[in-house]
Amino acid sequence: MSPPTSSYVTPRTMSGVMELLPLEQVAFEGMIDVIRREFERFGYLPIATPAMELTEVLLRKTGGETERQVYLVQSTGSAEQGDDPDLALRFDLTVPLARYVAEHEHQLSFPFRRHQIQPVYRGERPQRGRYREFYQCDIDVIDRNELSLRFDAEIPAVINSVFAALDFGEFVIRLNSRRLLAGLMEKLEIEPHVAALRELDRLDRQGPENVIASLSKIGVTNDAAQRLLELAATGLRTGSDAFTLLDEIGGDNDLLKQGVDEMRAVLTLVREWGVPEHRFGLDLSIARGLDYYTGTVYETTLVAHPELGSICSGGRYDDLAGQYTKSRLPGVGISIGLSRLFWQLQNADLLPAAKSTVEVLVGLLDDAGLPEALRIAAELRDAGVNTESVLVPDRIGNQLKFAAKNGIDLYVVAGENERQRGEVLVRNLRTQTQASADRKDVVAAVQAQ
RNA sequence: GUGGCCGUAGCUCAGUUGGUUAGAGCGCCAGGUUGUGGACCUGGAUGUCGGGGGUUCGAAUCCCCUCGGUCACCCCA
């Protein structure tokens, strides 16, 4: 890529990674702050796991598909010796969690609620809004032996608080049950459950004709496929409509009866958790491709932007850490794909105007004013105001331009004129107003803005 | 991993059937304004036309290879 005559290497990142400019980074981290705050309001504790795991730990559970997407890690020394890579980058936060809980089971308290906000890595062909390194924001609850269905309802309550706080418009949490779907398939005499679930999950992308065709390939009769899709086509049912639909499905077999009963209980509990009726419902087309889900599954979409797809999804798994321990550790949780969500919001122009973490720029018009400028800045910092100091005098126009370009709303300066009068100038760039204040009142004048 | 499309300035692109020193808008920098920002005006910088090879008197333009990007599938956040 770089010309051989040039001594420079073209500065670039690999494709499929998200690197932001400072003001974008401020917005991104602002979202993380909100998400973490809401997670912690519900009692979820933070954990962090290493980006790398031992290959044998990471790949124990997975089938061929995920294995293909895992980045193997190896030191050059190890490679020179011809060793196999024994390290790999995590591709989600759930598998590391399983290892973590199994490893530290006896130091943890159950039910164990944890949140984890870290990047994960997938060796995929990069695509629109899909990354090879991206942040996941996960919460999960793990318990021993049995995990009450009440936790299945806590999860939507947390999601509700998170997205209400993020304030990107109305959203809806779609719930379904893998057990219920399995019961339905038993009723319709659809045999390979997992494969059929995956086909169902592709309904929105592939369209009904293709899904029926694929289903017939795995031995599902046309009639059964038709009836399955009819049910899936009912789409989202909120409020009492959800319960009506559950009544209609009934309970022709034990599995179906259990699934319907559980779903009924979960929906009732979500209501009791105080999630508004219009923000959650039953959607029989939600299947989730991941095969470790066994019960309730979730997907969340923005009402005004269905094209963005699911911005938060998860579910219940009856035995999270079966690969690592004899203990039976059921869990339920969700993951927000923050990098993709951020990219989508940015693209849909849904992010608020960029704002700096710097609240005040203290200007400098002449060298003689430096000591005073530094004192003013120190006073502001002591008062808890993030303050950036101009250290080399420049034209005031350039300083204001700098503040404006960098999302700083307030500009404070004590030039020669102000210093003689014992004043400071406080300019608000957003309201385009300014006023002089007594030098001693500078902190109050800034805080009044 | 499979398949399609595209590579010209930092970005979006124009470049007439191959024909002199390759252009525009936006952005960037400077000045207009030695104490007032987003507007306006003036000026400026930046390209081995992704790289290599070939055809030709002549290639950004045609051919081959290669690298990169991108989209769809697979899968998923």
Side-chain angles (χ1 to χ4, degrees):
Chain A
M1 192 75 183
S2 60
T5 50
S6 167
S7 59
Y8 296 109
V9 173
T10 306
R12 62 199 185 106
T13 59
M14 58 188 252
S15 69
V17 295
M18 189 175 81
E19 190 171 75
L20 302 172
L21 293 171
L23 290 190
E24 298 172 321
Q25 189 72 25
V26 170
F28 185 81
E29 292 185 11
M31 284 177 69
I32 288 182
D33 290 345
V34 169
I35 291 167
R36 179 186 292 117
R37 190 189 70 215
E38 294 303 319
F39 284 174
E40 294 186 352
R41 265 175 12 105
F42 281 80
Y44 289 74
L45 293 163
I47 72 163
T49 63
M52 290 180 274
E53 294 275 354
L54 293 168
T55 309
E56 61 176 34
V57 169
L58 204 58
L59 297 182
R60 174 53 70 84
K61 175 163 206 154
T62 63
E65 195 46 57
T66 30
E67 190 153 356
R68 222 184 64 199
Q69 297 191 345
V70 168
Y71 280 108
L72 297 176
V73 181
Q74 189 174 30
S75 71
T76 46
S78 159
E80 278 165 12
Q81 290 185 16
D83 296 338
D84 287 333
D86 55 356
L87 300 175
L89 293 175
R90 59 168 172 243
F91 55 87
D92 71 6
L93 300 179
T94 305
V95 173
L97 171 66
R99 188 227 81 217
Y100 183 97
V101 174
E103 184 172 343
H104 303 295
E105 181 182 346
H106 302 294
Q107 290 123 287
L108 297 173
S109 300
F110 293 88
F112 175 53
R113 290 178 173 90
R114 85 88 172 77
H115 74 74
Q116 190 171 357
I117 301 173
Q118 290 190 291
V120 304
Y121 303 86
R122 291 189 194 173
E124 274 196 291
R125 272 277 165 71
Q127 243 175 88
R128 177 184 296 273
R130 303 176 60 167
Y131 294 98
R132 292 150 89 181
E133 178 190 65
F134 62 95
Y135 271 81
Q136 287 195 326
C137 311
D138 275 35
I139 52 166
D140 290 89
V141 194
I142 312 294
D143 210 343
R144 280 164 156 158
N145 302 317
E146 291 299 324
L147 177 71
S148 164
L149 219 48
R150 292 175 186 174
F151 292 100
D152 293 50
E154 173 170 315
I155 297 296
V158 181
I159 299 172
N160 175 56
S161 282
V162 168
F163 285 100
L166 285 173
D167 198 22
F168 294 124
E170 271 309 324
F171 55 90
V172 61
I173 306 160
R174 298 158 192 273
L175 291 91
N176 195 12
S177 161
R178 290 283 280 253
R179 218 180 310 280
L180 189 157
L181 285 175
L184 271 179
M185 296 199 182
E186 192 180 311
K187 177 182 170 183
L188 296 173
E189 292 172 350
I190 294 173
E191 225 9 274
H193 284 178
V194 179
L197 276 175
R198 270 180 42 203
E199 291 305 323
L200 184 63
D201 193 54
R202 292 158 66 185
L203 181 58
D204 53 336
R205 305 192 292 274
Q206 300 287 327
E209 298 82 9
N210 291 329
V211 169
I212 289 178
S214 302
L215 283 171
S216 83
K217 254 182 230 162
I218 56 174
V220 177
T221 66
N222 233 305
D223 188 48
Q226 207 72 290
R227 292 180 59 194
L228 183 66
L229 292 196
E230 269 169 37
L231 282 165
T234 55
L236 177 69
R237 296 285 191 102
T238 58
S240 57
D241 285 354
F243 293 94
T244 309
L245 179 57
L246 287 173
D247 290 340
E248 285 167 13
I249 294 169
D252 289 26
N253 57 61
D254 288 349
L255 204 54
L256 185 55
K257 185 173 185 314
Q258 193 191 351
V260 166
D261 287 348
E262 283 180 4
M263 205 66 246
R264 203 179 270 126
V266 170
L267 290 170
T268 304
L269 281 161
V270 173
R271 185 187 282 165
E272 284 167 7
W273 267 96
V275 180
E277 295 274 319
H278 63 282
R279 286 202 182 142
F280 73 97
L282 173 66
D283 187 336
L284 294 178
S285 69
I286 303 299
R288 310 291 312 140
L290 287 180
D291 47 0
Y292 51 72
Y293 293 128
T294 49
T296 313
V297 287
Y298 315 91
E299 287 195 359
T300 304
T301 52
L302 292 179
V303 172
H305 296 274
E307 76 281 1
L308 300 189
S310 174
I311 55 178
C312 165
S313 47
R316 169 186 273 258
Y317 24 85
D318 283 337
D319 189 12
L320 176 68
Q323 314 295 327
Y324 308 116
T325 177
K326 263 192 295 192
S327 308
R328 188 161 170 273
L329 298 167
V332 61
I334 50 100
S335 176
I336 302 171
L338 186 60
S339 301
R340 174 190 272 190
L341 176 60
F342 184 83
W343 182 88
Q344 288 171 321
L345 291 169
Q346 202 173 34
N347 249 259
D349 214 21
L350 291 173
L351 288 177
K355 247 181 137 295
S356 177
T357 48
V358 178
E359 294 163 284
V360 176
L361 181 69
V362 174
L364 182 65
L365 300 178
D366 56 336
D367 283 323
L370 182 62
E372 181 71 333
L374 294 179
R375 279 193 294 270
I376 290 170
E379 283 173 33
L380 288 168
R381 287 186 199 109
D382 286 346
V385 179
N386 291 353
T387 304
E388 176 174 355
S389 293
V390 176
L391 295 180
V392 178
D394 193 5
R395 291 165 45 188
I396 195 166
N398 286 337
Q399 295 182 31
L400 288 167
K401 199 185 290 182
F402 178 90
K405 184 180 170 184
N406 291 290
I408 305 170
D409 284 342
L410 294 177
Y411 175 77
V412 170
V413 74
E416 208 180 333
N417 300 341
E418 285 81 11
R419 294 203 300 278
Q420 275 171 9
R421 283 187 251 118
E423 291 180 342
V424 293
L425 182 74
V426 178
R427 180 167 177 83
N428 185 321
L429 282 83
R430 200 152 32 106
T431 60
Q432 300 190 48
T433 57
Q434 65 184 35
S436 292
D438 276 356
R439 166 65 185 85
K440 61 176 165 39
D441 299 329
V442 62
V443 169
V446 162
Q447 283 171 339
Q449 292 294 318

